[in-house]
Amino acid sequence: MTSRRKFLKNAILSSTLMIPGAVKSEANFLSSRKKNFAQKPLFLSTWNHGQAANEKAWEILQNSGSILDAVEEGVKVTEADIRSRSVGLTGFPDRDGHVTLDASIMNSDGNCGSVCFVERIKHPITLARKVMEETPHVMLAGDGAQQFAVSQGMPLEDVELPDDVVREYEEWKETSEYNPAANSENHDTIGMVGIDGDGNLAGSCTTSGLKFKMHGRVGDSPIIGAGLYVDNEVGAATATGMGETIIKVCGSFLIVELMRQGRTPQEACEEAIDRLLQKTPFETDSELQVGFLAIDKNGDHGAYAVQSGFTYAIHHQEGNSIENSDCRYETMVE
Ligand code: SD4
């Protein structure tokens, strides 16, 4: 499959990041500028499954829920969706057959909570919120997170891998080739950032992580500043894709700091992708994918990805739609 793909690289990438044979494409750069328009309230969520999550978040806000309630309830829709293979308990397992979940949440007051490497919990985002609100801590992991969940009245679920997941896992075990992949065919992590009518921001991020990852592997999604960051004076950002590369640049924190320095959300997302590509160079035919979403304090937004294929959902007064993110490398299927 990789041999059928080639990439057209976006025109604004500096020459230090050029790959041999890449062709410049200016159109992508121009289109990334024209979509910016300030809106409040506004929700942005990663991938197509973000549309249902945004719908719920919008409904919560309209019914006098807080922006924090909205981003929690929104991504719970994805966590509960039994079709999801990358969020919640129907996600792909790690290479030992365990479904281990990561989640984080951040509020407009700067508070945050997260859980990682947690098993048998249907709504890790709610557990992350409980860590934020009911403990003096920010992050709980593994068994400790699970024990805390039980102490908070959350049931331990029996995990039954869906048939297609079992089939794929059994096939994978025949070679057990360790190549944990961001699972874009199955829509990936959900990250959501939102702003209410008064300009208060919050965000949430929840995932089962990379399929067939090492047992114990934790990605960017529960790491505050990597998979999610919110600063109510500036803006909010979230991430999806290969978590290791996002952690290396503190991707979401980087985007918020760039907005603080005056970049638009779109410029900040693009600069963060460039920074990421400096640390993790992109090879022709690479499977590397990362997507960033950002909102600033005014309700302006941005989205950018390493390569084509990253979609996101946007909900404002005029509706709830799915958009194709602009990207640094256009994938051309020959
Ligand atoms: C992780 N960022 O665990 C998550 C997974 C993901 O596209 O978003 N995959 O690294």
Side-chain angles (χ1 to χ4, degrees):
M1 136 105 177
T2 50
S3 62
R4 291 169 52 239
R5 302 184 313 150
K6 69 179 186 188
F7 299 96
L8 295 181
K9 186 153 74 50
N10 187 306
I12 61 165
L13 190 57
S14 75
S15 57
T16 54
L17 291 173
M18 291 292 281
I19 55 167
V23 183
K24 290 183 178 184
S25 160
E26 196 130 15
N28 196 16
F29 169 65
L30 294 174
S31 70
S32 74
R33 289 292 179 276
K34 66 181 185 234
K35 289 192 299 230
N36 283 330
F37 54 100
Q39 291 271 357
K40 285 186 267 185
L42 173 69
F43 291 97
L44 289 187
S45 294
T46 55
W47 306 106
N48 297 0
H49 57 193
Q51 196 171 27
N54 281 356
E55 195 64 47
K56 184 69 181 181
W58 190 265
E59 181 194 315
I60 296 288
L61 204 60
Q62 298 311 307
N63 291 325
S64 311
S66 66
I67 189 70
L68 181 67
D69 295 334
V71 297
E72 178 195 355
E73 292 298 328
V75 301
K76 277 172 72 176
V77 171
T78 325
E79 288 181 337
D81 185 347
I82 58 170
R83 294 166 304 177
S84 175
R85 296 290 171 266
S86 48
V87 179
L89 291 174
T90 54
F92 277 104
D94 65 18
R95 66 183 189 179
D96 294 355
H98 298 265
V99 178
T100 71
L101 305 177
D102 297 338
S104 62
I105 194 161
M106 199 158 178
N107 198 5
S108 44
D109 60 6
N111 270 328
C112 50
S114 81
V115 291
C116 64
F117 190 47
V118 65
E119 294 184 50
R120 300 183 59 192
I121 299 299
K122 184 173 181 187
H123 289 301
I125 197 67
T126 299
L127 186 56
R129 182 171 176 175
K130 284 185 182 294
V131 172
M132 173 173 84
E133 292 179 339
E134 308 296 335
T135 82
H137 305 302
V138 164
M139 188 172 203
L140 289 178
D143 287 348
Q146 198 187 67
Q147 280 162 23
F148 173 63
V150 171
S151 78
Q152 295 294 306
M154 298 173 81
L156 292 184
E157 308 288 337
D158 292 325
V159 177
E160 200 174 324
L161 299 179
D163 290 348
D164 57 308
V165 171
V166 172
R167 262 196 310 278
E168 208 173 316
Y169 181 54
E170 293 301 326
E171 270 170 36
W172 174 80
K173 277 201 295 192
E174 286 170 19
T175 54
S176 297
E177 196 178 314
Y178 189 60
N179 183 23
N183 182 33
S184 54
E185 322 84 70
N186 283 299
H187 307 304
D188 283 278
T189 296
I190 185 154
M192 175 185 285
V193 284
I195 187 166
D196 68 15
D198 297 326
N200 291 311
L201 293 143
S204 55
C205 190
T206 175
T207 189
S208 55
L210 302 183
K211 82 176 159 181
F212 312 146
K213 61 193 176 183
M214 281 178 74
H215 189 57
R217 180 267 185 190
V218 170
D220 60 302
S221 308
I223 309 288
I224 301 299
L228 179 69
Y229 199 70
V230 176
D231 184 322
N232 212 44
E233 290 179 2
V234 178
T238 190
T240 180
M242 187 58 71
E244 284 73 7
T245 67
I246 298 164
I247 294 170
K248 283 178 194 170
V249 295
C250 296
S252 294
F253 181 73
L254 174 62
I255 290 168
V256 172
E257 288 307 296
L258 289 168
M259 291 193 289
R260 191 191 308 278
Q261 291 165 24
R263 308 304 194 282
T264 65
Q266 186 62 38
E267 289 167 344
C269 289
E270 294 184 17
E271 203 168 325
I273 289 288
D274 287 349
R275 183 82 62 87
L276 184 143
L277 288 168
Q278 282 166 8
K279 308 282 179 203
T280 311
F282 188 83
E283 310 290 341
T284 306
D285 287 341
S286 174
E287 298 284 341
L288 171 65
Q289 179 62 307
V290 168
F292 288 126
L293 299 178
I295 298 182
D296 72 9
K297 189 68 186 160
N298 302 319
D300 192 3
H301 74 276
Y304 208 64
V306 168
Q307 58 171 289
S308 335
F310 173 47
T311 59
Y312 64 98
I314 176 166
H315 199 327
H316 45 60
Q317 299 286 2
E318 277 129 55
N320 185 10
S321 60
I322 294 174
E323 302 284 333
N324 280 309
S325 165
D326 292 319
C327 59
R328 188 55 79 217
Y329 295 98
E330 292 284 355
T331 311
M332 307 298 290
V333 178
E334 293 176 323

